Amino acid sequence: MSPQLPPVAPAVTAELVATLSPRLRKRLDSGIAKLADRPVVRDGAVVRIAVDDDTDLELHAPDGAVRGADAVRCGCLLAPDCLHRAAAASLAPVAEDTDSAAPQDRSAAEEDTAQAPETATPEQRAAVRAVQLATSAVLEAGTDGAGAVLQAELLRAAHTARLAGLHRAAATAVSVVTALRAARAADPAYHLTDLAAGLYDVLSVAHRLPSASGGELTALRGTARQPYRPDGSLRLYGLFSEPVLTASGYAGAVTWTADAEGRLYQVSDVAPGGAGRAVGAADRTVRIGDTALTHRELARAGLAVSGATVSPTGRLGAGAGVRAVRAPGAGWHEEPVARLWAEPVPDQIARALAGGRDLLFLDVTLTGTAAEAAGDCLLAEGAGVPLRLTAAHDDPALPHRDNLRLLSAAPGTRLRVVARLTPAPHPRAQLLAAEHPTRADTRLDIGLDRLQGADLPTTTAAPSGSVPVPVSASASACDEAPIHLLRRRVHQAVSGGRPVLALPGDTRADARRLRRSGLTTAAELLTDLHSAAADRAHDVFGRLRPTDPDRFARAWLAAAHYTRELDRTLCLAAWTS
């Protein structure tokens, strides 16, 4: 996916693909591949792609994104019914869908405040069913088979869901398309687990919403935009900044702060862009009040805010009535900030797994490095357990990997760190910020500040040529737990689709191993998943009937839900053992 192209609204991509003839639809994926290699030039709000030596294709994005089909213009003889327009829209990142209708949002808000019982409207049931069918088709095909046509169908369903007030289903469906494109483009930022999680979320919402009511239905609908509420005056202390870089073409930085009671607040600057914007955003002035602080400075200073507005997730608003001035900060070992590290780690883990904030405040001792398929991770001891600290981003423009590599060469170093929990059968988290290994009272934003060899303790050798140590036996045992047999099939279905699980093979040995370990439900789910994949009944003439994507999707959702919940249980047990 080219980062130079402006984001395109989901409805635009769906419309352009829908207008293609059946013959051109078959050529769409190859057309996208050809267009991806063509030169791109930006001229203000217009981005031009040289289709050939004599023909240009233009994407007009006056507000930074393409919002209408007429904003994609091609100079070829077949335009506007040409393949190029649909290919360009399918190649570009997916924009946030702002084609809303405020009446729909107001209606949803009114329904949310209505007296129980409340249920989904017929329009919402129809919209979520369309999302379910499109997602099931993607799962049936797998990443290799889910080309631009299936992606466009899911984008169309997502747009319909948004208009019906189903913002959670719409947003998650768009994230699935983004992950699919990253997978098919061999984007190094793509992770199979992220796509599996997105598919699970979409299918889970689609499964539960038709029968939901009250508060559950409100949560399943989601909201179009995060509402900001007045929060009076705030005295905030900077904690750290982290870069933001998404596969959907957005980048920037988020700075985390805390108040005297330990509540967390964020100041963000995220807009369309690539790794360059993620790196540069840290030195941009924060968008709140009249303060001249940059994100990098705020992470180490403080802020006094009056007339504050805050979203439910703690994001600070930047409205006209907000006033902010610089104030003294506090070190990580000073009150009131130090109380974040005083909270017992098991309580932090339990809150994160229950859907609360996923940031962990830990005191660790570095022990080395371990080789993993996704790259080396930093080993440490913390909270009485061995844990693995991983990179939050793999983009080489960001220093995550280099910083972890250098820190791994300082075994025995004690550090206070901030990390983001990664649910797994073993203690695991993404390292976001840390104390400097040799400079007291100095903090490092792992994704923005770049360590040098001279920053390591003098008794530590530089890590060049070092060999990662093997993963510990206890970690390996967790990875090879019997539930892995079911989780592997769940992930195989995402990447290879139903045909991979329908291949001839005997699953009874895996099912027996799961039962011997007391995982009887996992054994039944594994058997049912393979049965649903291989279910191809014949008609009276001996011909194979079409597959049933619904049955396969239901079997996959049940297996994914089981492994997800068991992983959460194992994660909590691993951190508290």
Side-chain angles (χ1 to χ4, degrees):
M1 183 185 301
S2 173
Q4 297 174 293
L5 299 183
V8 176
V12 174
T13 304
E15 178 182 345
L16 292 176
V17 173
T19 59
L20 294 177
S21 66
R23 179 180 63 85
L24 290 180
R25 285 193 178 196
K26 293 179 181 179
R27 296 171 48 193
L28 181 55
D29 289 318
S30 61
I32 293 172
K34 292 178 181 177
L35 206 62
D37 295 330
R38 301 302 301 166
V40 178
V41 176
R42 181 180 293 273
D43 181 11
V46 179
V47 175
R48 293 185 178 86
I49 305 175
V51 176
D52 54 40
D53 293 340
D54 302 315
T55 306
D56 286 342
L57 184 147
E58 296 181 349
L59 291 88
H60 292 252
D63 68 344
V66 177
R67 302 292 181 189
D70 59 350
V72 183
R73 306 167 189 172
C74 185
C76 75
L77 295 177
L78 298 179
D81 299 322
C82 62
L83 181 69
H84 305 129
R85 297 172 71 222
S90 300
L91 179 64
V94 183
E96 292 184 6
D97 194 344
T98 59
D99 286 349
S100 92
Q104 290 289 346
D105 293 343
R106 286 196 294 268
S107 175
E110 291 168 0
E111 290 178 10
D112 289 346
T113 58
Q115 295 295 320
E118 58 176 295
T119 58
T121 66
E123 179 189 17
Q124 290 174 336
R125 288 193 178 94
V128 81
R129 177 57 176 164
V131 170
Q132 186 177 39
L133 290 174
T135 307
S136 297
V138 166
L139 180 63
E140 166 115 353
T143 55
D144 290 341
V149 173
L150 285 182
Q151 293 170 26
E153 289 301 321
L154 186 52
L155 290 177
R156 178 183 296 280
H159 180 65
T160 302
R162 188 178 297 277
L163 293 180
L166 303 180
H167 305 289
R168 179 176 170 183
T172 313
V174 168
S175 73
V176 167
V177 173
T178 298
L180 280 173
R181 292 181 178 179
R184 292 172 62 85
D187 188 333
Y190 165 74
H191 296 288
L192 176 61
T193 53
D194 293 340
L195 176 55
L199 288 167
Y200 170 83
D201 288 343
V202 177
L203 291 173
S204 180
V205 169
H207 174 74
R208 293 161 53 199
L209 189 139
S211 59
S213 62
E216 182 188 15
L217 178 59
T218 299
L220 292 173
R221 284 181 181 139
T223 56
R225 296 179 182 85
Q226 292 188 336
Y228 285 80
R229 56 175 173 77
D231 205 16
S233 298
L234 296 173
R235 175 65 171 89
L236 303 176
Y237 302 84
L239 293 173
F240 71 98
S241 290
E242 63 173 321
V244 175
L245 183 61
T246 72
S248 58
Y250 288 83
V254 172
T255 298
W256 291 81
T257 65
D259 66 7
E261 283 71 44
R263 291 188 295 262
L264 300 185
Y265 298 83
Q266 312 112 53
V267 180
S268 65
D269 180 0
V270 179
R277 191 181 195 284
V279 173
D283 294 315
R284 295 167 63 96
T285 302
V286 297
R287 297 177 178 177
I288 179 169
D290 299 324
T291 178
L293 282 170
T294 66
H295 283 268
R296 195 185 300 274
E297 292 169 337
L298 176 58
R300 293 155 179 82
L303 205 62
V305 185
S306 62
T309 58
V310 185
S311 78
T313 59
R315 180 173 296 178
L316 290 171
V322 180
R323 298 290 182 268
V325 296
R326 181 171 186 157
W332 284 0
H333 291 272
E334 302 171 357
E335 292 297 341
V337 171
R339 69 176 54 195
L340 294 168
W341 280 265
E343 182 181 12
V345 173
D347 293 349
Q348 297 187 47
I349 301 299
R351 180 181 56 248
L353 293 175
R357 74 181 188 215
D358 57 0
L359 293 185
L360 304 180
F361 299 87
L362 308 170
D363 289 300
V364 304
T365 300
L366 306 183
T367 58
T369 185
E372 295 186 332
D376 295 349
C377 68
L378 179 63
L379 296 180
E381 292 282 341
V385 297
L387 63 116
R388 292 184 239 181
L389 298 172
T390 63
H393 290 283
D394 290 321
D395 195 292
L398 301 174
H400 291 91
R401 286 284 178 199
D402 291 340
N403 285 339
L404 261 65
R405 179 178 59 86
L406 280 165
L407 289 173
S408 69
T413 302
R414 291 183 56 81
L415 295 176
R416 180 158 280 191
V417 304
V418 183
R420 177 169 288 117
L421 177 67
T422 302
H426 53 270
R428 185 181 189 88
Q430 296 174 344
L431 184 60
L432 304 177
E435 293 177 314
H436 196 284
T438 56
R439 300 176 194 167
D441 301 325
T442 299
R443 311 174 197 173
L444 293 171
D445 296 328
I446 297 298
L448 297 170
D449 301 323
R450 194 172 290 275
L451 274 170
Q452 305 295 329
D455 294 319
L456 301 179
T458 55
T459 57
T460 300
S464 58
S466 61
V467 178
V469 301
V471 178
S472 66
S474 61
S476 297
C478 288
D479 283 347
E480 296 302 324
I483 191 60
H484 170 73
L485 299 173
L486 180 60
R487 186 188 303 107
R488 180 176 61 190
R489 301 304 184 198
V490 169
H491 289 167
Q492 282 180 339
V494 174
S495 58
R498 182 198 59 77
V500 169
L501 298 189
L503 293 173
D506 188 357
T507 62
R508 288 176 294 183
D510 287 346
R512 283 196 299 268
R513 183 180 173 190
L514 288 168
R515 288 192 177 93
R516 284 198 303 269
S517 301
L519 300 174
T520 303
T521 301
E524 293 174 355
L525 291 170
L526 177 64
T527 301
D528 186 56
L529 182 59
H530 278 275
S531 176
D535 183 14
R536 294 295 304 275
H538 293 76
D539 62 18
V540 294
F541 299 105
R543 297 172 299 192
L544 282 174
R545 295 184 183 275
T547 59
D548 182 359
D550 262 357
R551 184 194 169 190
F552 180 64
R554 287 194 302 270
W556 182 88
L557 178 61
H561 180 74
Y562 180 89
T563 57
R564 181 187 180 98
E565 293 305 309
L566 187 57
D567 280 347
R568 289 175 181 270
T569 301
L570 292 174
C571 178
L572 181 59
W575 280 91
T576 56
S577 60

